[in-house]
Amino acid sequence: MTAVPVSPELSSEVTPDSALSHIASSQTIDVPFSGDDAGHGGLNWGQQHILGAIRNLGSSMNMCALRELSPTATVEDFADELRFYLNRFQAMRTLLRFEAGRPPIQVVHASGTAPLQILDIDPGADLDAVLAALVAEHEQRNFDDEHEYPIRMVLIRRAGVLTHLLTVLNHFATDGAGAFAMYEDFLHRDPVTGQARGPVPTHPLDLTVQQATPAGRRQSDASLRYWERQLAALPRRRPTAAVPETGSRYRRATLRSVPLLLGATRVAHRLDCDVSAVLLGLFATALARLTGEQPTAAQMLVSNRFRPGMADIVGNVSQSGLFVVDVADATVDEVIERAQRAVTRTYKYAYFDLEQWKTLLATVERERGEELALCYYNDRPSQRSGTAPGSEPSVEAVTAAAATPAPVVWSALPFFNERLMVTIDNVPDDDEAVTVLVSADTWHVTSEDMETLARTMESLAVAAACDPATVTGVRAVAEAEPVG
């Protein structure tokens, strides 16, 4: 995988079909592999989580990386690369087996062949348009989990010279961090023998075994007890009626905010924390102000790579964590500090048997007499280690940026399996702003509320940057107006 996946945009004059029509010929080479181990077993907890998401979306959620090649590149170079991945990483030679009435089984193959495709492009074709069309096609082309290994490598050749390699990974096999770890292993192999620098510490099937041990069961049980306590203690939600809006039911509001980044950075300097911690506190406060629910609760996507043996695993180890924090009768600074303590518990207890979690959730909802459709929060930078904020902005810089707010950009989603989700998406090479994505099912969350949530995070950041005494504006439940 290349460090920055490339997905060029097609011009309005070139359609994907017309671009792909410039593929003159295609051939496939079967690359043999022989791995160190094989076996089969149930899915580990991270695999259970990602397979559920894939089934909900009806998509393999493919990850595509496009790499430009040197003029001296040969087909044999990439046959060797594909073979390296298959030999070394069990996740790359795993197929799934489905039987009615039984949980899925993962089957790791010791040997076999995998295809390396070579596409010849017409010499006069617009190469960028063809590449963009290929990326778009492979992003959408689902893998056959039972019969197709979860890696595709496609070489693009023009006038007899290899120009690019497109690598496609089924998201079930690994996440982005695992893909980078896999590529790093390839880059640092022995230059003479081509062998890896050492054994793979942990494979996905190893996690299945570990999680079935008494220690693994204790971890899951402890996590589920935390979820049960926290969910049972949440106040009952205000009843809302589904009110369809005109237009697309599933929508996304995108706000690229310069004042949000500047304000959060200034607060991070004051509190000696990273920007992600500030954004989490701002999100919790904005959500409480929008919903009137206190304490604030949300689900978060948590990477378990901080656990022993998981840092460089080629696989999926992310699961949902439960974040609960009190934002009432406090300053924004105090909420940010509370959020940092609360998120530690979120991470600690985001490692559990998914099927047992589903049973627990159904029981809690039945006892409460309501569905717990919590907002989902995903701060993508927070999946990496915390980093110090950049240079400290002045109050004048923050207020100047706030004077010219950016517009919210709206887009339709073909499908969305949550009621509300907030994603902090630090776009590569954009260090001037934070992009907030608010996605929702507008039958439950209005477009107005979606924009309000993003704008409230922004305004809170500006206010708190200028005045450390800025309060959340949320009252304790005992003093709030009664529901109903």
Side-chain angles (χ1 to χ4, degrees), residues 334-378:
E334 288 171 335
V335 170
I336 292 166
E337 292 172 338
R338 292 176 188 176
Q340 290 182 82
R341 294 191 294 272
V343 81
T344 301
R345 295 189 293 272
T346 301
Y347 273 64
K348 181 178 180 179
Y349 297 117
Y351 194 48
F352 50 81
D353 186 304
L354 187 65
E355 293 306 312
Q356 291 185 337
W357 176 86
K358 290 178 181 178
T359 301
L360 169 66
L361 188 62
T363 300
V364 172
E365 289 182 335
R366 185 171 59 251
E367 292 173 349
R368 292 173 61 93
E370 64 177 354
E371 182 181 359
L372 282 166
L374 299 179
C375 177
Y376 217 109
Y377 180 75
N378 182 13

Side-chain angles (χ1 to χ4, degrees), residues 73 76 93 100 162 176 186 194 229 259 269 292 338 356 375 407 421:
E76 290 74 18
R93 45 189 164 92
L162 296 176
F186 172 73
R229 288 194 306 271
H269 276 276
R338 292 176 188 176
Q356 291 185 337
C375 177
M421 181 172 184

Side-chain angles (χ1 to χ4, degrees), residues 1 63-67 151-154 165-169:
M1 305 322 96
M63 299 180 292
C64 296
L66 192 65
R67 190 193 317 167
I151 180 170
R152 298 182 193 136
M153 288 178 57
V154 182
L165 171 71
L166 173 62
T167 303
V168 187
L169 295 178

Side-chain angles (χ1 to χ4, degrees), residues 237-243 249-253 287 290-291 293 299 365 370-377 413 415-422 437-447 449-450 453:
R237 314 194 76 185
R238 284 185 169 91
T240 57
V243 181
R249 173 175 175 176
Y250 308 112
R251 299 179 192 173
R252 173 172 292 158
L287 184 64
L290 179 68
T291 64
E293 295 170 5
Q299 290 192 75
E365 289 182 335
E370 64 177 354
E371 182 181 359
L372 282 166
L374 299 179
C375 177
Y376 217 109
Y377 180 75
L413 301 175
F415 176 75
F416 185 60
N417 62 329
E418 304 286 343
R419 288 192 179 179
L420 177 64
M421 181 172 184
V422 175
L437 309 174
V438 182
S439 306
D441 177 346
T442 61
W443 285 16
H444 298 281
V445 181
T446 66
S447 298
D449 284 349
M450 293 169 66
L453 184 55

Side-chain angles (χ1 to χ4, degrees), residues 4-233:
V4 181
V6 179
S7 182
E9 294 185 357
L10 289 170
S11 72
S12 59
E13 299 178 356
V14 182
T15 66
D17 287 344
S18 66
L20 293 177
S21 69
H22 290 285
I23 298 175
S25 64
S26 172
Q27 67 179 108
T28 299
I29 297 173
D30 288 329
V31 177
F33 66 86
S34 179
D36 294 335
D37 203 358
H40 66 276
L43 306 188
N44 62 54
W45 301 335
Q47 289 174 320
Q48 293 172 10
H49 181 97
I50 191 64
L51 184 60
I54 286 171
R55 285 175 165 173
N56 283 338
L57 292 172
S59 167
S60 301
M61 297 193 285
N62 296 344
M63 299 180 292
C64 296
L66 192 65
R67 190 193 317 167
E68 188 172 357
L69 306 180
S70 74
T72 60
T74 67
V75 172
E76 290 74 18
D77 293 337
F78 302 100
D80 287 343
E81 181 174 340
L82 177 57
R83 184 180 298 109
F84 177 89
Y85 297 142
L86 291 158
N87 286 353
R88 180 160 172 78
F89 301 106
Q90 289 183 13
M92 294 298 107
R93 45 189 164 92
T94 294
L95 300 177
L96 297 182
R97 189 166 68 221
F98 301 101
E99 297 180 14
R102 295 177 177 271
I105 296 294
Q106 57 177 317
V107 181
V108 179
H109 291 252
S111 61
T113 62
L116 173 63
Q117 188 177 20
I118 307 166
L119 301 179
D120 283 288
I121 309 301
D122 290 336
D126 181 338
L127 182 58
D128 286 343
V130 174
L131 293 174
L134 280 171
V135 171
E137 179 197 23
H138 280 278
E139 282 178 340
Q140 299 301 318
R141 188 197 297 177
N142 284 343
F143 280 81
D144 181 345
D145 295 326
E146 294 184 272
H147 304 101
E148 182 183 8
Y149 292 118
I151 180 170
R152 298 182 193 136
M153 288 178 57
V154 182
L155 284 166
I156 294 88
R157 186 167 58 191
R158 186 166 66 166
V161 177
L162 296 176
T163 64
H164 292 81
L165 171 71
L166 173 62
T167 303
V168 187
L169 295 178
N170 183 342
H171 200 354
F172 173 79
T174 190
D175 57 17
F180 287 129
M182 187 170 77
Y183 187 51
E184 282 293 306
D185 262 10
F186 172 73
L187 291 178
H188 293 94
R189 68 198 187 285
D190 187 285
V192 177
T193 66
Q195 296 300 307
R197 51 189 171 181
V200 175
T202 308
H203 291 290
L205 201 54
D206 298 333
L207 290 184
T208 299
V209 174
Q210 292 173 16
Q211 290 163 359
T213 64
R217 304 316 308 173
R218 286 193 296 272
Q219 167 66 55
S220 180
D221 291 344
S223 294
L224 296 178
R225 285 194 298 271
Y226 165 80
W227 277 80
E228 184 175 24
R229 288 194 306 271
Q230 296 292 338
L231 292 176

